[in-house]
């Protein structure tokens, strides 16, 4: 499994259920990286997508504790055992963890890579965060490519590698 995320300088990822920044280049990057893949997300992340609907051209897996939740176009999972079973048929590099905060915290150790858009800004009022990979001993930065500034923001597409992946 691999994680994909956009973070600011404080590793913030969201505020009040929404994204922190409007970066069309990052959204295109996300689409390129995830098209044709399996997306693992929480219900809050699903709700933050356009129209609160699953993304097209991808397998959408939504983790939720709500036993009555039904999402047209997505498979709803209620446990790590169900997630493990659902992703078993796919190559690990085709499974992309896309949030939110709780799932990143629970599943990051099971990811072999993290694709991180590093935004050079600090969002006031951010209330959701991604673990700071620069402080985690198992993670190392393997690449970072600066992108053209958009909407007054500078950012880079970075890749981290987990040197100690834990099986689910």
């Amino acid at each position: 499994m691999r994680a994909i995320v956009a973070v600011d300088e404080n590793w913030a990822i969201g505020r009040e259920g929404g994204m922190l920044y409007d970066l069309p280049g990052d959204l295109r990057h996300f689409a390129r990286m995830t098209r044709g893949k399996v997306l693992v997300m929480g219900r809050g992340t699903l709700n933050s997508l356009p129209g609160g609907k699953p993304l097209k051209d991808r397998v959408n897996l939504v983790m939720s504790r709500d036993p009555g939740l039904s999402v047209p176009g997505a498979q709803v999972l209620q446990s790590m055992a169900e997630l493990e079973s659902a992703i078993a048929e796919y190559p690990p590099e085709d499974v992309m963890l896309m949030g939110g905060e709780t799932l990143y915290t629970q599943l990051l150790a099971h990811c072999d890579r993290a694709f991180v858009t590093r935004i050079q800004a600090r969002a006031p009022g951010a209330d959701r965060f991604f673990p700071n990979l620069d402080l985690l001993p198992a993670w190392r930065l393997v690449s970072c490519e600066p992108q053209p500034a958009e909407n007054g923001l500078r950012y880079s597409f970075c890749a981290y590698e987990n040197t100690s992946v834990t099986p689910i």
Side-chain angles (χ1 to χ4, degrees), residues 17-150:
M19 293 173 51
L20 297 174
Y21 303 99
D22 178 23
L23 296 170
D26 180 50
L27 293 176
R28 286 189 299 274
H29 173 70
F30 175 86
R32 275 192 312 273
M33 297 291 290
T34 64
R35 193 168 286 114
K37 308 277 184 178
V38 178
L39 300 180
V40 178
M41 70 190 87
R43 184 177 183 176
T45 299
L46 172 69
N47 291 341
S48 74
L49 298 176
K53 295 181 180 176
L55 294 174
K56 295 178 187 174
D57 303 321
R58 299 153 180 96
V59 174
N60 291 261
L61 303 178
V62 178
M63 299 291 294
S64 174
R65 289 182 222 107
D66 179 355
L69 181 64
S70 175
V71 180
Q75 182 179 354
V76 178
L77 309 170
Q78 294 183 314
S79 69
M80 289 301 155
E82 288 182 7
L83 174 62
E84 183 179 12
S85 177
I87 65 175
E89 65 186 89
Y90 301 100
E93 64 272 13
D94 285 350
V95 180
M96 304 290 284
L97 174 61
M98 61 174 281
E101 179 184 60
T102 300
L103 281 183
Y104 283 136
T105 300
Q106 291 176 338
L107 296 172
L108 190 61
H110 308 296
C111 295
D112 66 347
R113 286 200 173 255
F115 301 105
V116 182
T117 299
R118 301 280 311 259
I119 303 163
Q120 295 177 18
R122 293 174 189 250
D127 58 11
R128 295 290 179 262
F129 296 86
F130 188 83
N132 182 337
L133 298 181
D134 293 329
L135 300 178
L136 298 178
W139 288 89
R140 67 181 185 95
L141 180 66
V142 292
S143 68
C144 216
E145 301 171 15
Q147 301 300 305
E150 289 184 302

Side-chain angles (χ1 to χ4, degrees), residues 132-168:
N132 182 337
L133 298 181
D134 293 329
L135 300 178
L136 298 178
W139 288 89
R140 67 181 185 95
L141 180 66
V142 292
S143 68
C144 216
E145 301 171 15
Q147 301 300 305
E150 289 184 302
N151 297 329
L153 296 168
R154 301 191 63 73
Y155 64 100
S156 299
F157 296 145
C158 303
Y160 286 80
E161 181 179 75
N162 184 351
T163 61
S164 183
V165 180
T166 305
I168 289 184

